[in-house]
């Protein structure tokens, strides 16, 4: 899972930064809302990496 997370880290963090900035600047500078967006997206990135590894393992097992 860590390998998948490391491979996608830079792109994922760039998207998270853009979305967080948009929520802060575009929605009226509500700091708590932006902080929650940031936190949820960080957790989702971590969970998504684990899910991706799990799905890749299932696909690889069926390929043989």
């Amino acid at each position: 899972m860590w390998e998948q997370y490391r491979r996608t880290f830079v792109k994922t963090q760039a998207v998270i930064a853009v979305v967080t900035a948009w929520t802060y600047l575009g929605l009226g500078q509500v700091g708590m809302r932006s902080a929650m967006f940031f936190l949820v997206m960080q957790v989702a990135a971590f969970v998504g990496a684990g899910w991706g590894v799990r799905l890749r393992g299932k696909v690889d097992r069926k390929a043989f």
Side-chain angles (χ1 to χ4, degrees):
M1 180 177 91
W2 289 110
E3 183 62 35
Q4 173 73 14
Y5 188 73
R6 274 187 287 209
R7 265 189 283 141
T8 60
F9 180 78
V10 173
K11 292 177 186 175
T12 303
Q13 294 304 311
V15 169
I16 290 172
V18 168
V19 171
T20 301
W22 179 78
T23 60
Y24 183 73
L25 299 172
L27 297 177
Q29 297 185 350
V30 180
M32 184 55 88
R33 183 182 298 164
S34 298
M36 290 305 297
F37 245 86
F38 179 79
L39 181 63
V40 168
M41 289 184 75
Q42 290 293 337
V43 171
F46 188 74
V47 170
W51 186 35
V53 168
R54 181 175 168 262
L55 289 177
R56 185 179 303 264
K58 283 186 172 190
V59 168
D60 289 347
R61 281 192 297 269
K62 288 190 180 220
F64 291 105

